[in-house]
CSV table of all heavy atoms in Angstrom, one decimal:
chain,number,residue,atom,x,y,z
P,184,ALA,N,-8.3,-32.0,0.9
P,184,ALA,CA,-8.4,-33.5,0.9
P,184,ALA,C,-8.9,-33.9,2.2
P,184,ALA,O,-9.0,-33.2,3.2
P,184,ALA,CB,-7.0,-34.1,0.6
P,185,ASP,N,-9.2,-35.3,2.3
P,185,ASP,CA,-9.8,-35.9,3.5
P,185,ASP,C,-8.8,-36.8,4.2
P,185,ASP,O,-9.2,-37.8,4.8
P,185,ASP,CB,-11.0,-36.6,3.1
P,185,ASP,CG,-11.9,-36.9,4.3
P,185,ASP,OD1,-11.9,-36.0,5.3
P,185,ASP,OD2,-12.6,-37.9,4.3
P,186,GLU,N,-7.5,-36.5,4.2
P,186,GLU,CA,-6.5,-37.4,4.7
P,186,GLU,C,-6.2,-37.0,6.2
P,186,GLU,O,-6.4,-35.9,6.7
P,186,GLU,CB,-5.2,-37.2,4.0
P,186,GLU,CG,-5.3,-37.5,2.5
P,186,GLU,CD,-5.6,-38.9,2.2
P,186,GLU,OE1,-5.1,-39.8,3.0
P,186,GLU,OE2,-6.3,-39.2,1.2
P,187,VAL,N,-5.8,-38.1,7.0
P,187,VAL,CA,-5.5,-37.9,8.4
P,187,VAL,C,-4.0,-37.6,8.5
P,187,VAL,O,-3.2,-37.9,7.6
P,187,VAL,CB,-5.9,-39.1,9.2
P,187,VAL,CG1,-7.4,-39.3,9.1
P,187,VAL,CG2,-5.2,-40.4,8.8
P,188,ASP,N,-3.6,-37.2,9.8
P,188,ASP,CA,-2.2,-37.0,10.0
P,188,ASP,C,-1.5,-38.3,10.1
P,188,ASP,O,-1.9,-39.3,10.6
P,188,ASP,CB,-2.0,-36.3,11.4
P,188,ASP,CG,-0.6,-35.7,11.6
P,188,ASP,OD1,0.2,-36.5,12.0
P,188,ASP,OD2,-0.4,-34.5,11.2
P,189,SER,N,-0.3,-38.3,9.4
P,189,SER,CA,0.5,-39.6,9.3
P,189,SER,C,1.1,-40.0,10.5
P,189,SER,O,1.5,-41.2,10.7
P,189,SER,CB,1.4,-39.5,8.1
P,189,SER,OG,2.4,-38.4,8.4
P,190,ASP,N,1.4,-39.1,11.5
P,190,ASP,CA,2.2,-39.4,12.7
P,190,ASP,C,1.9,-38.4,13.7
P,190,ASP,O,2.4,-37.2,13.7
P,190,ASP,CB,3.7,-39.4,12.4
P,190,ASP,CG,4.5,-39.8,13.5
P,190,ASP,OD1,4.0,-40.1,14.6
P,190,ASP,OD2,5.8,-39.9,13.4
P,191,LEU,N,1.1,-38.7,14.7
P,191,LEU,CA,0.7,-37.8,15.8
P,191,LEU,C,1.9,-37.6,16.8
P,191,LEU,O,1.8,-36.7,17.7
P,191,LEU,CB,-0.5,-38.4,16.6
P,191,LEU,CG,-1.8,-38.2,15.9
P,191,LEU,CD1,-2.9,-38.8,16.7
P,191,LEU,CD2,-2.2,-36.8,15.5
P,192,ASP,N,3.0,-38.3,16.6
P,192,ASP,CA,4.1,-38.1,17.6
P,192,ASP,C,5.2,-37.2,17.0
P,192,ASP,O,6.2,-37.0,17.7
P,192,ASP,CB,4.7,-39.5,17.9
P,192,ASP,CG,3.8,-40.3,18.8
P,192,ASP,OD1,3.1,-39.8,19.6
P,192,ASP,OD2,3.7,-41.6,18.6
P,193,ASP,N,5.0,-36.7,15.8
P,193,ASP,CA,6.0,-35.7,15.3
P,193,ASP,C,5.4,-34.3,15.7
P,193,ASP,O,4.4,-34.1,16.3
P,193,ASP,CB,6.3,-35.8,13.9
P,193,ASP,CG,5.1,-35.6,13.0
P,193,ASP,OD1,4.1,-35.1,13.4
P,193,ASP,OD2,5.2,-36.0,11.8
P,194,SER,N,6.0,-33.2,15.2
P,194,SER,CA,5.7,-31.9,15.5
P,194,SER,C,5.0,-31.1,14.4
P,194,SER,O,5.0,-29.9,14.3
P,194,SER,CB,6.9,-31.1,16.0
P,194,SER,OG,7.9,-31.1,15.0
P,195,THR,N,4.5,-31.8,13.4
P,195,THR,CA,3.9,-31.1,12.2
P,195,THR,C,2.5,-31.7,11.9
P,195,THR,O,2.1,-32.8,12.3
P,195,THR,CB,4.8,-31.3,11.0
P,195,THR,OG1,4.8,-32.7,10.6
P,195,THR,CG2,6.2,-30.8,11.2
P,196,CYS,N,1.7,-30.9,11.3
P,196,CYS,CA,0.4,-31.4,10.7
P,196,CYS,C,0.8,-31.8,9.3
P,196,CYS,O,1.0,-31.0,8.4
P,196,CYS,CB,-0.6,-30.2,10.6
P,196,CYS,SG,-2.1,-30.7,9.7
P,197,ASP,N,0.9,-33.2,9.1
P,197,ASP,CA,1.5,-33.7,7.8
P,197,ASP,C,0.8,-35.0,7.5
P,197,ASP,O,0.9,-36.0,8.3
P,197,ASP,CB,3.0,-33.9,8.0
P,197,ASP,CG,3.7,-34.3,6.8
P,197,ASP,OD1,3.0,-34.5,5.7
P,197,ASP,OD2,4.9,-34.5,6.8
P,198,THR,N,0.1,-35.1,6.4
P,198,THR,CA,-0.5,-36.3,6.0
P,198,THR,C,0.4,-37.3,5.3
P,198,THR,O,0.1,-38.4,5.0
P,198,THR,CB,-1.7,-36.0,5.0
P,198,THR,OG1,-1.1,-35.5,3.7
P,198,THR,CG2,-2.7,-35.0,5.5
P,199,GLY,N,1.6,-36.8,5.0
P,199,GLY,CA,2.6,-37.6,4.3
P,199,GLY,C,2.6,-37.2,2.8
P,199,GLY,O,3.6,-37.7,2.1
P,200,ASN,N,1.7,-36.5,2.4
P,200,ASN,CA,1.7,-35.9,1.0
P,200,ASN,C,2.2,-34.5,1.0
P,200,ASN,O,2.5,-34.0,2.0
P,200,ASN,CB,0.3,-36.0,0.4
P,200,ASN,CG,-0.4,-37.4,0.4
P,200,ASN,OD1,0.3,-38.3,0.2
P,200,ASN,ND2,-1.6,-37.5,0.8
P,201,THR,N,2.3,-34.0,-0.2
P,201,THR,CA,2.8,-32.6,-0.3
P,201,THR,C,1.9,-31.8,-1.2
P,201,THR,O,1.2,-32.3,-2.0
P,201,THR,CB,4.2,-32.5,-0.9
P,201,THR,OG1,4.2,-33.1,-2.2
P,201,THR,CG2,5.2,-33.2,0.0
P,202,VAL,N,1.8,-30.5,-0.9
P,202,VAL,CA,1.1,-29.5,-1.7
P,202,VAL,C,2.0,-28.3,-2.0
P,202,VAL,O,2.5,-27.6,-1.1
P,202,VAL,CB,-0.1,-29.0,-0.9
P,202,VAL,CG1,-0.9,-27.8,-1.7
P,202,VAL,CG2,-1.1,-30.1,-0.5
P,203,GLY,N,2.3,-28.2,-3.3
P,203,GLY,CA,3.3,-27.1,-3.7
P,203,GLY,C,4.6,-27.3,-3.0
P,203,GLY,O,5.3,-26.3,-2.7
P,204,GLY,N,5.0,-28.5,-2.8
P,204,GLY,CA,6.3,-28.7,-2.1
P,204,GLY,C,6.3,-28.6,-0.6
P,204,GLY,O,7.4,-28.9,0.0
P,205,GLU,N,5.2,-28.3,0.0
P,205,GLU,CA,5.1,-28.2,1.4
P,205,GLU,C,4.3,-29.4,2.0
P,205,GLU,O,3.4,-30.0,1.2
P,205,GLU,CB,4.4,-26.9,1.8
P,205,GLU,CG,5.1,-25.6,1.4
P,205,GLU,CD,6.4,-25.5,2.2
P,205,GLU,OE1,6.5,-25.9,3.3
P,205,GLU,OE2,7.4,-25.0,1.6
P,206,PRO,N,4.5,-29.8,3.2
P,206,PRO,CA,3.7,-30.9,3.8
P,206,PRO,C,2.2,-30.6,3.7
P,206,PRO,O,1.8,-29.5,4.0
P,206,PRO,CB,4.2,-31.0,5.2
P,206,PRO,CG,5.5,-30.4,5.2
P,206,PRO,CD,5.5,-29.3,4.1
P,207,GLU,N,1.4,-31.6,3.3
P,207,GLU,CA,-0.1,-31.4,3.2
P,207,GLU,C,-0.7,-31.4,4.6
P,207,GLU,O,-0.4,-32.3,5.4
P,207,GLU,CB,-0.7,-32.5,2.4
P,207,GLU,CG,-2.2,-32.3,2.3
P,207,GLU,CD,-2.8,-33.5,1.6
P,207,GLU,OE1,-2.6,-34.7,2.0
P,207,GLU,OE2,-3.6,-33.3,0.7
Side-chain angles (χ1 to χ4, degrees):
D185 197 32
E186 302 294 327
V187 299
D188 194 272
S189 60
D190 184 358
L191 286 179
D192 291 325
D193 65 13
S194 59
T195 63
C196 174
D197 185 359
T198 67
N200 302 318
T201 59
V202 175
E205 297 294 326
E207 180 187 50

